[in-house]
Amino acid sequence: MRVDKRPGSGVAKIHVEDDGSYFQVSQDGGTKKLERAKISLDDCLACSGCVTSAETVLITQQSHEELRKVLGANKMVAPDQQRLVVISVSPQSRASLAVRFQLNPTDTARKLTAFFKKIGAHYVFDTAFSRNFSLLESQWEFVRRFRAQADSKQALPVLTSACPGWICYAEKTHGNVLLPYISTARSPQQVMGSLVKDFFSQQQPLLLGPGSCTTAVFSTQHLTPDKIYHVTVMPCYDKKLEASRPDFFSQEHQTRDVDCVITTGEVFKLLEEEGVSLSELESAPLDSLCSSVSAQEPTSHQGGGSGGYLEHVFRHAAQELFGIHVTEVTYRPLRNKDLQEVTLEREGQVLLHFAAAYGFRNIQNLVQKLKRGRCPYHYVEVMACPAGCLNGGGQLKAPDMPGKELLQQVERLYSMVRTEAPEDVPGVQELYGHWLQGEGSEQASRLLHTSYHAVEKAGSSLSIRW
């Protein structure tokens, strides 16, 4: 393949070996092996192109090999010198692994806990718990912005922010046009980062275990956030980019809220490298962030495999704004299955108009409507992946099973988990009172919300059209 034809340089060719090695072939037949380019996560975020999937980026800071290094380093030092390793598993990853190993969700969660502790982790949490806070903050934010729409043209629509691929696209391609509409609520991954590095670290004065949500005394001798190595297991490669954002880095403690993100596929690699089949492991009790709450089984939320933002905000807004109790949310498919609408009507008048837009085909149409001032929605659940998070690029594939059938099985196991309203989940209200100092507090804003930044376009030899 010809890659260079500058005056005086002749023609250079690139030859690719079967193992993926690259060689430059000169005109006289000589060859030179080329090194792979290494792009850091910060490079990705600084680039003016749109990295909406990190599958093709060589990420050296976020991988299961990095987790192995930390676990290995812990084995070489005394216990009081070790970093406390905390692993937070997403419900989507758990469902994907459950399908692969033919387990139910509860057994999968317990066996994953056993596996991670076997290789050296200290605690294993479920990001469904942190999602409670993300959903509640999203609900309250929407009601505030709906009531403020008369005073601000950019109050609505509210666009969800839990998908980092979508956020990356918005920041890099449409900047200030889109950013005012995007929800400031942190994603479940980054809320878990706050929970682990702020609340949980303050409950670890002597590394004895989780503290109580209601009776914790914040000792000055607590474990500092940099002494915790926090890993998340996610269905999406772009979560690595999200964790690397400067917004989620503590200058005071020189540590990220989430130190390392590994995908579902990387967990499977870890299992293979350890020679372990998840289905053959003994189960272990589930961990809870609060010692006053006993986690007997994983729980989830209504509203589909991408977090249920649309449904939770819709139900809350209907009740809070119009006094209407919604028992069932009815979706109306539009041009394709990844674009659906939900409306709340009373006496023929549309009170709320929500939508779910998955995949970049639908996202681009949504963006064009916004730019033309013709977006009819009050709220849009936006996800970069077609079919949403359960179909994320980091999920397990099945060579012997069609993708559609595999996705249906993952959806089925994901939906088997008992659902709870976020405000009713044990520990949530206590944490709002004792850790966050109340709903809508400055502390809640700092730890549960974030901001977005338009990325200036730099000169590039690549021409990217969206």
Side-chain angles (χ1 to χ4, degrees):
M1 179 179 68
R2 294 185 178 185
V3 296
D4 184 22
K5 194 170 183 179
R6 294 169 294 176
S9 67
V11 177
K13 296 182 180 180
I14 299 296
H15 176 72
V16 184
E17 294 286 339
D18 291 339
D19 64 357
S21 301
Y22 290 81
F23 289 85
Q24 179 177 315
V25 183
S26 61
Q27 284 184 305
D28 61 7
T31 61
K32 176 184 177 183
K33 187 173 182 179
L34 301 177
E35 296 295 323
R36 288 179 179 269
K38 291 189 177 181
I39 304 174
S40 74
L41 296 177
D42 289 336
D43 291 332
C44 288
L45 294 172
C47 171
S48 63
C50 193
V51 182
T52 54
S53 174
E55 292 182 50
T56 58
V57 181
L58 298 176
I59 297 174
T60 59
Q61 296 175 344
Q62 308 243 10
S63 66
H64 73 290
E65 285 91 353
E66 287 300 305
L67 171 58
R68 278 197 176 282
K69 288 179 183 177
V70 172
L71 294 174
N74 271 356
K75 294 176 181 178
M76 304 299 291
V77 297
D80 61 345
Q81 297 297 313
Q82 294 180 357
R83 296 182 74 180
L84 192 74
V85 178
V86 175
I87 299 181
S88 301
V89 182
S90 69
Q92 294 89 351
S93 295
R94 183 183 61 224
S96 182
L97 288 161
V99 170
R100 172 58 63 94
F101 291 101
Q102 299 182 330
L103 297 168
N104 65 52
T106 299
D107 285 344
T108 304
R110 290 173 176 166
K111 290 175 182 289
L112 270 177
T113 299
F115 170 67
F116 283 129
K117 291 189 174 182
K118 178 177 182 290
I119 63 174
H122 297 94
Y123 294 96
V124 182
F125 298 134
D126 186 344
T127 63
F129 184 73
S130 57
R131 191 164 66 190
N132 292 307
F133 298 88
S134 187
L135 289 170
L136 289 170
E137 294 296 321
S138 297
Q139 293 173 181
W140 299 331
E141 178 190 28
F142 175 77
V143 169
R144 288 195 304 270
R145 289 174 62 164
F146 188 92
R147 288 172 172 160
Q149 61 182 310
D151 302 320
S152 172
K153 293 182 179 179
Q154 294 180 323
L156 299 176
V158 176
L159 310 176
T160 59
S161 57
C163 172
W166 146 243
I167 294 300
C168 187
Y169 167 77
E171 289 184 322
K172 292 174 182 291
T173 62
H174 296 285
N176 294 324
V177 175
L178 291 180
L179 300 189
Y181 298 106
I182 296 177
S183 167
T184 64
R186 292 193 185 192
S187 71
Q189 171 175 279
Q190 296 310 136
V191 172
M192 185 58 88
S194 293
L195 280 163
V196 168
K197 290 295 181 86
D198 193 88
F199 169 74
F200 187 68
S201 69
Q202 295 183 60
Q203 312 310 304
Q204 302 299 307
L206 297 174
L207 302 182
L208 294 179
S212 167
C213 294
T214 56
T215 63
V217 177
F218 289 0
S219 168
T220 56
Q221 301 297 316
H222 64 71
L223 194 67
T224 56
D226 57 298
K227 300 302 182 184
I228 296 179
Y229 188 73
H230 183 208
V231 182
T232 61
V233 178
M234 289 287 147
C236 170
Y237 285 95
D238 289 330
K239 285 293 180 181
K240 298 173 186 275
L241 299 178
E242 180 182 53
S244 75
R245 291 175 68 91
D247 309 78
F248 305 131
F249 181 83
S250 168
Q251 292 293 339
E252 178 184 357
H253 298 287
Q254 290 295 295
T255 186
R256 298 189 187 280
D257 294 344
V258 177
D259 297 287
C260 181
V261 180
I262 60 176
T263 63
T264 317
E266 287 177 288
V267 173
F268 187 74
K269 284 183 183 176
L270 275 173
L271 287 161
E272 286 189 317
E273 290 170 3
E274 292 291 323
V276 171
S277 171
L278 198 63
S279 56
E280 296 174 0
L281 280 172
E282 293 292 327
S283 295
L286 302 181
D287 291 329
S288 173
L289 272 161
C290 307
S291 62
S292 60
V293 177
S294 177
Q296 301 296 327
E297 61 177 350
T299 60
S300 189
H301 303 95
Q302 292 181 322
S306 296
Y309 288 87
L310 183 152
E311 285 204 21
H312 284 83
V313 173
F314 186 81
R315 291 175 190 272
H316 177 76
Q319 183 68 52
E320 185 72 15
L321 296 170
F322 304 104
I324 298 175
H325 176 68
V326 176
T327 56
E328 184 176 352
V329 177
T330 303
Y331 290 84
R332 183 169 70 90
L334 298 179
R335 287 190 299 270
N336 54 74
K337 62 182 175 60
D338 282 329
L339 181 62
Q340 302 186 77
E341 290 184 348
V342 175
T343 58
L344 180 72
E345 299 183 21
R346 183 167 58 191
E347 297 177 356
Q349 179 186 3
V350 175
L351 304 176
L352 293 174
H353 195 181
F354 282 29
Y358 293 178
F360 276 101
R361 173 177 55 171
N362 293 316
I363 289 175
Q364 288 164 355
N365 289 333
L366 172 67
V367 169
Q368 291 307 312
K369 287 181 179 179
L370 266 172
K371 292 174 75 174
R372 295 169 185 160
R374 296 179 180 177
C375 180
Y377 305 119
H378 296 118
Y379 187 89
V380 187
E381 182 179 288
V382 186
M383 299 291 160
C385 289
C389 298
L390 290 175
N391 192 40
Q395 295 283 70
L396 295 175
K397 305 296 185 283
D400 57 342
M401 185 186 301
K404 184 177 181 180
E405 182 182 343
L406 175 62
L407 179 59
Q408 288 174 343
Q409 289 198 27
V410 175
E411 289 173 340
R412 179 179 63 82
L413 285 174
Y414 179 89
S415 64
M416 283 175 60
V417 177
R418 180 173 60 87
T419 61
E420 291 183 294
E423 61 271 20
D424 297 333
V425 173
V428 170
Q429 295 302 329
E430 289 86 351
L431 279 168
Y432 265 108
H434 291 82
W435 173 51
L436 296 169
Q437 301 168 12
E439 298 173 8
S441 68
E442 183 179 336
Q443 178 93 329
S445 178
R446 179 175 66 86
L447 293 169
L448 303 182
H449 288 261
T450 187
S451 58
Y452 309 99
H453 322 281
V455 178
E456 287 188 23
K457 292 187 177 294
S460 173
S461 60
L462 298 175
S463 176
I464 301 175
R465 293 189 61 190
W466 293 96

